[in-house]
Amino acid sequence: MVEIEIDGKKVEVPAGSMVMDAANKLGTYIPHFCYHKKLSIAANCRMCLVEVEKAPKPLPACATPVSAGMIVRSASDKAVQAQKSVMEFLLINHPLDCPICDQGGECQLQDLAVGYGKGESRYQEDKRVVTPKQAGPLVSMQEMARCIQCTRCVRFGQEVAGVMELGMVGRGEHSEITSFVGEAVSSEMSGNMIDLCPVGALTSKPFRYSARTWELSRRKSVSPHDSLGANLVVQVKAGKVMRVLPLENDAVNECWISDKDRFSYEALDSAERLTQPMLKQGGEWKEVDWQTALEYVAHGLKNIKHEHGADAIASYATAHSTTEELHLLQKLTRSLGSEHVDFRLRQSDFALDGQVSPWLGMPVADVTSLQRVFVIGSFLRKDHPLLATRIRAAVKSGAKLSVLNGTADDSLINVANQITAAPSDWLAALSQVVVAVAAAKEVAAPAGFEGIEASDAAKGIAASLLSGERKAVFLGNAAAAHPQASALHAAAQWIAEQTGAKLGYLVEAANTVGGYLANATAKSAAPAFSAPKKAYLLLNAEPELDAANPQTAAAALKQAEMVVVLSAFKHGMDHADVLLPISPFTETSGTFVNAEGRAQSFNATVKPLGETRPGWKVLRVLGNILGLSGFDYDTSEAIRDELLGKGVTDLSGKLNNVSKQAVAAAKFGTAGSLERLADVPIHFADAIARRSGPLLATIDGAAPVARISVATAASLGVKAGDKVTVTQGSGTAVLEAVIDAGLAANVVRVPAAHESTAKLGAMFGAITVAKAGEAK
């Protein structure tokens, strides 16, 4: 540790720290623009000049290393004069458009100009003009003349998002920030550049000119999307959500959020919002009051139970529902006498039920300090954008990443070892890693692995995991949804135990862990909709988009006597009989439990729209009308406390990734038949995101394509851009073909969760592809 003195106060900081770090530790504010605690040092704005004793001139606090006995003055006449001179330079070319600037009221330059700027400028020359840039539907670059070249946006892209989408061209007064060759900014983390910009050069395109910062109320919330549980600030004006920003929490999302977290709010006022209960009568949809709708549902459930038995009733939800909603859904279903309740709609292997309640296996913050990581079956960047930034940071610090997947997607992270195999061969690939680990440790491989030889890639993964200290093996969304999920888990568990790594699941959605804790899981160990029922309660679920096999789901719903949809949006009009408007996360209180087992409760940020009601209230009242006991809650907190315990936030002790299933061997198949690999596109993973106009206008919001390997394209005579007919089961889809050199040879990558592919079958399994117009 090194002791220095700043403005008469002594402080100790680690050797190699900068003066700015010491000032931050003391709580001493030094004005700055280019410095940011999460980014590398640029030292190009010079606003943080301070006086250092014995130094001939002021030095930048952000780039001056501390030394023993150093005496720093941040507010001396010499320092302040230097800071004022820098401000004068910064304002030479800055347009004086504060009254109309969208950043007014939250502009760092504006704030510091009050303290360090002069009342008038000595420079009378014309100000420079910078041409506006087009950066896509999320980030506005219309006023780049305001840019002060702090390069925060450039460094963020390189260091955090992993892709340098913006850069600086020109020199001197001709310097300007621009995107490459006019391309749009398309990173799934791009919105963070808006927060980082200290002036009004980069602004939010959807929010632009819709409100002033001082008109907005700020309310804390939690993201309802991926499994990280990013902390949010929801900004509200006149009862409407106007903007969503990150709430800093180093233990969870640091100071970042993904674009999905930031811009999905645009769906909350979409034309598809359901704001009034609706009944289908004589094939016509009619709006009714809540009492009529709920009594209709209760009467229908009682009739079906009486005529067909309680086993004919099933309730399905998505893991984007709150813990309270899932708890009441399973309680209501089981009180009716049925065990058919589940939130794992994309899961197809249930052999680990009762043994495993998946979670990350470690605190989220520990991911950044890992030295060895093996990720199995994950489209990492799109499935878990914020966890990907932590793994990216770990790799930048020297960690080694190994990946097993059906495609060699560019994760914008340096990958040390990669196995690209068809999904049906994932267990075979893990079997080779098992053999390689056993050989490297000079221990016997498990029984049944005698005839398996490890490939070089498998040996590389084994060697990587056997080196280093802090290690983890992570199973991704595709691994959890895989038809052999339990066997993949057993192999991953053996590898983790033998290499001293922690085993974890990245888990699919905001409340996957909460769903397990709420016991919203079926005892039948069968995929959702596999056994048709007479009545369905669907909570936030769109089966044609959220189920593992949309064909099976559609067939089951078609023959049902009653389908009740509880959702914030109008959907399922063909198969539903009742639509009940329930609140999205901004209009209800509740709890999400993130991947690390952290329970995060939140309150409503705005009043429910129209006749919308919180989902837990709807289920509670339905329970009352049905005459069920135990539905007497007054608040969502009462439900949470009953389930999780009062004041309990760390639930990792109730979670378990260790199974008793024996590890089984498999060999690579030789069949050349095509099989499907289905990813869930980032902006189609949940009901809110898939209705946000700005998100759908991005590259990630584009319609799905059929990605085929070079070998498959050659055999079919298909060129990039051709239309192909994809067939699976009884359904087909005509999609544009993209030739992907990173795909395994016999794999066709066709996304799920989109209306254009909703007629296809299971996310994994046999698939056929033909050039459009040709016989199959």
Side-chain angles (χ1 to χ4, degrees):
M1 299 293 284
V2 176
E3 184 180 82
I4 72 168
E5 181 183 303
I6 301 180
D7 296 338
K9 299 176 184 176
K10 293 189 176 180
V11 62
E12 283 191 348
V13 290
S17 298
M18 301 298 159
V19 170
M20 186 71 86
D21 299 323
N24 288 340
K25 188 172 180 179
L26 272 177
T28 299
Y29 178 74
I30 298 175
H32 59 272
F33 293 112
C34 68
Y35 169 80
H36 190 279
K37 63 183 178 181
K38 296 290 184 181
L39 302 176
S40 63
I41 295 166
N44 52 4
C45 78
R46 317 308 283 184
M47 191 65 210
C48 64
L49 291 174
V50 292
E51 181 183 357
V52 178
E53 196 169 88
K54 298 182 181 176
K57 59 182 181 180
L59 301 175
C62 69
T64 302
V66 297
S67 59
M70 177 184 277
I71 298 175
V72 178
R73 300 181 184 91
S74 69
S76 66
D77 290 343
K78 186 176 183 180
V80 171
Q81 186 55 50
Q83 292 157 1
K84 286 185 174 181
S85 296
V86 169
M87 178 59 72
E88 187 176 15
F89 276 118
L90 287 175
L91 294 177
I92 288 174
N93 272 311
H94 196 78
L96 302 178
D97 56 358
C98 292
I100 59 139
C101 177
D102 202 38
Q103 194 91 342
E106 53 185 1
C107 173
Q108 211 173 329
L109 182 66
Q110 188 181 50
D111 293 343
L112 290 179
V114 172
Y116 299 92
K118 294 187 175 181
E120 57 184 30
S121 174
R122 292 183 287 169
Y123 295 87
Q124 302 302 317
E125 293 79 8
D126 291 342
K127 292 181 181 288
R128 74 172 189 157
V129 176
V130 179
T131 308
K133 311 292 190 299
Q134 287 300 325
L138 304 181
V139 180
S140 173
M141 298 180 72
Q142 290 300 298
E143 283 90 14
M144 292 306 292
R146 299 172 185 162
C147 177
I148 60 171
Q149 286 80 47
C150 71
T151 67
R152 278 184 177 182
C153 56
V154 178
R155 284 175 285 146
F156 170 81
Q158 287 177 299
E159 298 163 18
V160 181
V163 54
M164 186 175 170
E165 295 186 289
L166 298 180
M168 186 182 289
V169 296
R171 300 188 66 180
E173 68 170 331
H174 302 293
S175 300
E176 58 183 86
I177 300 291
T178 186
S179 59
F180 284 94
V181 202
E183 289 186 6
V185 173
S186 58
S187 161
E188 63 281 355
M189 299 286 289
S190 66
N192 292 289
M193 295 191 289
I194 299 167
D195 299 336
L196 287 171
C197 185
V199 295
L202 302 180
T203 53
S204 167
K205 192 168 278 189
F207 173 72
R208 194 171 153 81
Y209 297 134
S210 59
R212 287 294 196 179
T213 180
W214 54 83
E215 300 175 312
L216 301 171
S217 302
R218 292 160 175 78
R219 285 136 195 195
K220 296 179 182 179
S221 192
V222 179
S223 168
H225 302 298
D226 64 43
S227 64
L228 197 81
N231 290 196
L232 308 176
V233 174
V234 178
Q235 299 190 336
V236 176
K237 177 185 176 184
K240 180 181 176 182
V241 176
M242 304 299 293
R243 183 166 61 167
V244 173
L245 299 175
L247 176 64
E248 185 170 350
N249 185 344
D250 266 349
V252 181
N253 56 301
E254 301 176 276
C255 53
W256 318 122
I257 54 175
S258 69
D259 289 351
K260 181 160 67 169
D261 298 329
R262 185 182 299 272
F263 296 109
S264 68
Y265 74 89
E266 285 284 311
L268 299 176
D269 294 298
S270 77
E272 291 186 56
R273 269 303 295 268
L274 177 64
T275 59
Q276 183 80 27
M278 299 178 75
L279 290 182
K280 187 192 285 183
Q281 296 176 333
E284 298 277 327
W285 282 100
K286 296 181 179 178
E287 293 186 347
V288 297
D289 58 61
W290 271 104
Q291 190 70 22
T292 303
L294 291 175
E295 285 180 356
Y296 180 91
V297 173
H299 181 71
L301 290 174
K302 285 178 180 177
N303 277 353
I304 288 168
K305 180 180 178 180
H306 176 70
E307 293 176 14
H308 304 284
D311 198 57
I313 300 170
S315 299
Y316 293 123
T318 67
H320 303 284
S321 309
T322 67
T323 309
E324 293 81 353
E325 290 168 348
L326 292 172
H327 178 54
L328 288 194
L329 183 69
Q330 67 85 21
K331 193 172 183 178
L332 184 144
T333 308
R334 291 192 165 103
S335 295
L336 288 170
S338 172
E339 285 292 333
H340 301 294
V341 57
D342 219 323
F343 68 93
R344 303 165 297 174
L345 302 190
R346 292 199 175 100
Q347 191 165 317
S348 53
D349 178 359
F350 297 84
L352 297 180
D353 274 14
Q355 298 181 51
V356 170
S357 45
W359 71 297
L360 191 63
M362 64 177 68
V364 166
D366 288 359
V367 173
T368 314
S369 60
L370 289 172
Q371 295 178 340
R372 300 291 183 267
V373 184
F374 182 24
V375 177
I376 302 164
S378 176
F379 300 91
L380 194 57
R381 267 181 68 197
K382 306 303 181 182
D383 290 347
H384 306 284
L386 288 161
L387 278 171
T389 65
R390 288 191 179 270
I391 294 175
R392 188 174 296 118
V395 170
K396 283 178 175 287
S397 299
K400 302 293 183 187
L401 172 64
S402 302
V403 174
L404 165 62
N405 203 2
T407 177
D409 266 5
D410 184 5
S411 60
L412 304 178
I413 308 173
N414 289 329
V415 177
N417 305 284
Q418 173 98 41
I419 297 180
T420 303
S424 61
D425 287 328
W426 287 0
L427 184 56
L430 287 181
S431 297
Q432 291 192 356
V433 178
V434 167
V435 169
V437 169
K441 288 189 69 178
E442 298 182 348
V443 298
F449 283 75
E450 293 78 15
I452 294 175
E453 287 189 25
S455 65
D456 289 342
K459 290 175 183 175
I461 292 172
S464 176
L465 288 173
L466 287 166
S467 62
E469 293 179 0
R470 297 178 297 279
K471 298 170 276 194
V473 176
F474 291 132
L475 291 153
N477 296 357
H482 197 281
Q484 295 176 296
S486 57
L488 296 178
H489 175 105
Q493 182 178 316
W494 190 94
I495 293 166
E497 288 171 349
Q498 294 297 318
T499 59
K502 290 186 176 180
L503 177 67
Y505 278 82
L506 300 177
V507 302
E508 182 180 23
N511 205 30
T512 300
V513 175
Y516 279 94
L517 293 170
N519 193 30
T521 54
K523 300 293 184 284
S524 59
F529 302 103
S530 58
K533 303 297 177 186
K534 293 298 180 183
Y536 286 101
L537 292 177
L538 303 178
L539 176 65
N540 290 317
E542 298 175 70
E544 66 277 18
L545 304 178
D546 295 325
N549 190 326
Q551 286 177 8
T552 303
L557 292 168
K558 189 175 182 180
Q559 60 76 52
E561 291 181 13
M562 186 173 76
V563 177
V564 182
V565 170
L566 295 89
S567 174
F569 302 96
K570 294 176 184 175
H571 63 81
M573 310 290 274
D574 294 336
H575 55 247
D577 300 285
V578 188
L579 300 180
L580 301 179
I582 63 169
S583 301
F585 78 106
T586 51
E587 298 170 20
T588 185
S589 56
T591 303
F592 292 137
V593 184
N594 75 353
E596 68 177 0
R598 179 191 295 257
Q600 299 186 108
S601 295
F602 54 92
N603 293 314
T605 55
V606 291
K607 291 180 179 178
L609 189 63
E611 288 298 305
T612 301
R613 295 291 180 266
W616 69 267
K617 285 188 177 181
V618 175
L619 292 167
R620 182 203 67 191
V621 174
L622 183 56
N624 293 336
I625 294 174
L626 284 164
L628 306 176
S629 62
F631 283 80
D632 304 319
Y633 308 100
D634 292 325
T635 63
S636 64
E637 288 79 10
I639 306 170
R640 178 196 66 198
D641 294 346
E642 174 186 275
L643 178 66
L644 305 177
K646 195 167 185 177
V648 178
T649 55
D650 181 6
L651 299 164
S652 59
K654 296 183 178 181
L655 306 171
N656 172 51
N657 285 332
V658 180
S659 83
K660 299 172 185 173
Q661 182 162 323
V663 60
K667 291 188 177 181
F668 277 83
T670 55
S673 59
L674 297 178
E675 59 182 277
R676 182 181 181 185
L677 172 66
D679 59 311
V680 178
I682 183 171
H683 299 330
F684 294 98
D686 62 85
I688 299 176
R690 59 175 71 119
R691 289 172 173 84
S692 169
L695 292 181
L696 296 183
T698 65
I699 291 174
D700 285 319
V705 296
R707 293 185 177 274
I708 56 178
S709 67
V710 176
T712 301
S715 68
L716 295 174
V718 170
K719 295 176 182 174
D722 287 353
K723 294 289 184 181
V724 293
T725 302
V726 179
T727 306
Q728 199 180 18
S730 60
T732 62
V734 178
L735 305 172
E736 182 182 321
V738 172
I739 300 172
D740 188 343
L743 269 179
N746 59 328
V747 169
V748 180
R749 179 175 170 185
V750 179
H754 192 276
E755 60 182 12
S756 65
T757 58
K759 295 281 192 290
L760 299 176
M763 295 173 69
F764 299 91
I767 193 169
T768 60
V769 179
K771 202 168 181 178
E774 294 183 3
K776 295 188 259 304

